[in-house]
Amino acid sequence: MCRFLVAIFILSLGIRVVMFYALYPAERHGSAGAYGSVAASLYLGDGLTTNDTEAGKIESLPNNHTGNYLEFHTDAPRDVFTEFLPGPPVLLALLWKIIPVYNFAPYILLQCVIDAGLIALFFFVFARSDRVLAFAVTGILILNVAAIKRTLMAGYDFWPQFAVLVTFIGILKILEEPDRLWRYFLVGLLTSLTFWFRDLTTFLPFAIAPLVFVYLRKVHTIPTGRTFKRVLIYLLPVLVSLSLLSLFRYQTTGSYRPTRSTFWHSFMVGVCQFSNPYGIAGTDTSVWRYARTVNKSLEKLDLNDMYKLPDSPYEETVRRESFDFIRGHPWLFARNIVYRIGIMISPLVYRDGDFIPQSWGRILAPLGILLFLLWFIGLFTLYRSHSRLFWLSLTIYLYFFAAFGWFYVVGRVILPFLFINCIVYLYGVERIVRYAAAKFGHLHDVPGER
């Protein structure tokens, strides 16, 4: 088993490194230039600050593994970095202290190593439940180009994938063997670190904690006091990390909200993903243009400046428009929730991503409908035969449904738990195959529940 896990790790890492240097050397989030500027500033002792000229020079580089960002550092006036969470530039600056390669290469290669390690660990833990499906889903994790591109991206989109995988692997192991207290703390610590990188999974531990408590009480019959102690050990690093992040955000932005600064902007972009009363597309610039027609004082302001603070005039404008939409169009609001949950269940019905061309819509529509069927059958199968896997998967689904069903859904929201979709689909296929084989006489006895 050990050699096989090493082989999975090496294969996963090798594919990602080759893709980084040969296929996707310039994958960047829109904030990457600012991240590089802040990292250089931290490294040289100027704190968590950025400069637009530096950021522009970094963005103009042809890829993420060339250039020396320290050379772009200037003594010109600097702005405190507040638009996004500070994890990526802080980590990049720390990596430069260890690896003196002053661009995004150390950061991205670290993400590749972590991703490959988690895939090997996933197989090790999941194979205890179903070895055949563990092979299949591990293969999907190794080769999922959409997720790999996030791993190879200079930005923050890798970290929600990290958080969900860590949660899935760690909690599945905890529900199986609940007596090792260090596992609770380790899973809580690793997931809490991601709060500083991306806010998609910030409140996931609070959805997982009740599952752990109820499962340990009902299935393992652990006394209430001991169960509470285990859950508290899991949540302790989560609460500490969240409190520190909230204090940090208050000091830099004036708001305790532990998320990026443009919360209501993202909500309005989500509203406009579908048909809407404003007649605009769900893009940053479309919503910005609409907001300027509502609030004329925004016409003299710049969108990039409005991104930086959670209480900017622009954010306040779209917040008011968001509440007006919810009050004035409750049916559209409810319809959008149904649409988003449907997209999360069957991503093939999503047409706005960069991996499924809109022209493929008619071809993929029947397959998208089939995935809905497989999802429901798969969940039923898990409920009947794999209680740990069922309750853990359902809890993660309900978290994403509740967090983003009302808010917005894009590819980066779906990708973190896409491997769970694949698990559920495959159990649905397995159930159908077993039923068909028994129905048509190929199997005389249907295997009992595992």
Side-chain angles (χ1 to χ4, degrees), residues 52-102:
D52 290 341
T53 300
E54 294 173 14
K57 291 179 179 179
I58 293 170
E59 290 170 359
S60 68
L61 292 171
N63 56 57
N64 292 322
H65 57 77
T66 58
N68 181 342
Y69 301 170
L70 301 183
E71 295 178 351
F72 302 142
H73 192 69
T74 175
D75 294 329
R78 311 187 66 78
D79 298 317
V80 177
F81 182 70
T82 57
E83 177 188 350
F84 291 95
L85 299 176
V90 171
L91 177 58
L92 181 58
L94 288 174
L95 288 173
W96 286 348
K97 297 286 187 179
I98 303 169
I99 306 170
V101 178
Y102 305 111

Side-chain angles (χ1 to χ4, degrees), residues 286-330:
S286 295
V287 173
W288 166 245
R289 286 195 296 267
Y290 170 75
R292 288 195 298 175
T293 65
V294 174
N295 184 351
K296 298 298 184 182
S297 66
L298 297 178
E299 292 181 355
K300 298 180 180 180
L301 300 175
D302 181 77
L303 176 59
N304 291 330
D305 291 334
M306 294 298 96
Y307 271 157
K308 294 177 181 179
L309 294 173
D311 298 321
S312 69
Y314 170 61
E315 183 72 357
E316 287 299 309
T317 299
V318 289
R319 182 185 64 83
R320 291 193 297 270
E321 288 299 307
S322 298
F323 280 106
D324 287 345
F325 170 79
I326 295 171
R327 288 191 293 262
H329 304 279

Side-chain angles (χ1 to χ4, degrees), residues 309-376:
L309 294 173
D311 298 321
S312 69
Y314 170 61
E315 183 72 357
E316 287 299 309
T317 299
V318 289
R319 182 185 64 83
R320 291 193 297 270
E321 288 299 307
S322 298
F323 280 106
D324 287 345
F325 170 79
I326 295 171
R327 288 191 293 262
H329 304 279
W331 288 109
L332 283 180
F333 180 60
R335 180 208 64 178
N336 290 354
I337 291 175
V338 173
Y339 282 0
R340 293 188 186 103
I341 291 176
I343 290 170
M344 286 187 272
I345 291 174
S346 177
L348 289 183
V349 302
Y350 179 56
R351 295 287 172 262
D352 295 328
D354 54 356
F355 282 92
I356 302 177
Q358 292 188 4
S359 60
W360 292 12
R362 292 183 179 179
I363 299 174
L364 294 177
L367 185 54
I369 294 172
L370 175 61
L371 291 183
F372 279 112
L373 178 63
L374 291 177
W375 189 81
F376 284 105

Side-chain angles (χ1 to χ4, degrees), residues 63-295:
N63 56 57
N64 292 322
H65 57 77
T66 58
N68 181 342
Y69 301 170
L70 301 183
E71 295 178 351
F72 302 142
H73 192 69
T74 175
D75 294 329
R78 311 187 66 78
D79 298 317
V80 177
F81 182 70
T82 57
E83 177 188 350
F84 291 95
L85 299 176
V90 171
L91 177 58
L92 181 58
L94 288 174
L95 288 173
W96 286 348
K97 297 286 187 179
I98 303 169
I99 306 170
V101 178
Y102 305 111
N103 50 50
F104 284 121
Y107 181 86
I108 294 172
L109 291 175
L110 175 64
Q111 292 183 161
C112 292
V113 171
I114 294 172
D115 199 24
L118 285 177
I119 291 172
L121 188 59
F122 168 85
F123 178 84
F124 175 75
V125 173
F126 188 59
R128 297 172 69 93
S129 299
D130 192 314
R131 195 174 183 86
V132 174
L133 287 183
F135 273 105
V137 179
T138 300
I140 292 170
L141 285 169
I142 292 173
L143 300 172
N144 184 353
V145 176
I148 290 173
K149 286 188 70 175
R150 266 60 187 185
T151 302
L152 303 181
M153 181 175 286
Y156 50 56
D157 282 336
F158 164 75
W159 296 98
Q161 298 174 186
F162 167 85
V164 175
L165 255 178
V166 165
T167 298
F168 185 87
I169 295 168
I171 299 300
L172 192 63
K173 193 67 176 174
I174 285 171
L175 296 183
E176 179 186 6
E177 300 174 0
D179 292 332
R180 298 185 180 181
L181 299 184
W182 63 268
R183 287 178 179 165
Y184 297 82
F185 183 80
L186 180 61
V187 176
L189 177 64
L190 292 176
T191 52
S192 70
L193 293 176
T194 63
F195 302 168
W196 295 76
F197 291 79
R198 187 66 162 119
D199 51 11
L200 299 186
T201 55
T202 298
F203 301 103
L204 178 59
F206 299 103
I208 295 295
L211 163 68
V212 174
F213 185 89
V214 173
Y215 196 91
L216 297 190
R217 283 287 298 118
K218 297 295 185 181
V219 177
H220 293 284
T221 63
I222 298 175
T224 300
R226 291 170 57 193
T227 301
F228 182 78
K229 176 183 177 182
R230 285 162 167 75
V231 173
L232 184 60
I233 291 172
Y234 167 61
L235 287 180
L236 180 61
V238 170
L239 293 171
V240 170
S241 180
L242 191 60
S243 298
L244 292 175
L245 178 59
S246 293
L247 288 172
F248 169 82
R249 291 289 289 172
Y250 178 75
Q251 292 174 350
T252 54
T253 70
S255 172
Y256 285 105
R257 196 173 74 200
T259 62
R260 63 170 293 190
S261 295
T262 53
F263 181 86
W264 291 109
H265 163 80
S266 298
F267 176 85
M268 282 301 294
V269 171
V271 167
C272 298
Q273 285 182 302
F274 312 108
S275 58
N276 59 82
Y278 314 106
I280 61 177
T283 64
D284 294 332
T285 53
S286 295
V287 173
W288 166 245
R289 286 195 296 267
Y290 170 75
R292 288 195 298 175
T293 65
V294 174
N295 184 351

Side-chain angles (χ1 to χ4, degrees), residues 371-434:
L371 291 183
F372 279 112
L373 178 63
L374 291 177
W375 189 81
F376 284 105
I377 295 174
L379 273 185
F380 176 76
T381 303
L382 287 175
Y383 174 73
R384 293 287 301 274
S385 57
H386 298 285
S387 64
R388 289 191 303 274
L389 195 52
F390 169 79
W391 289 113
L392 177 56
S393 299
L394 182 64
T395 301
I396 293 174
Y397 275 126
L398 291 178
Y399 168 79
F400 278 94
F401 291 169
F404 297 98
W406 72 279
F407 191 54
Y408 82 124
V409 168
V410 291
R412 65 174 62 96
V413 172
I414 301 171
L415 283 172
F417 63 92
L418 187 60
F419 74 96
I420 301 178
N421 278 10
C422 294
I423 291 172
V424 177
Y425 300 152
L426 289 172
Y427 272 107
V429 171
E430 180 189 47
R431 185 76 176 189
I432 291 172
V433 169
R434 287 177 177 272

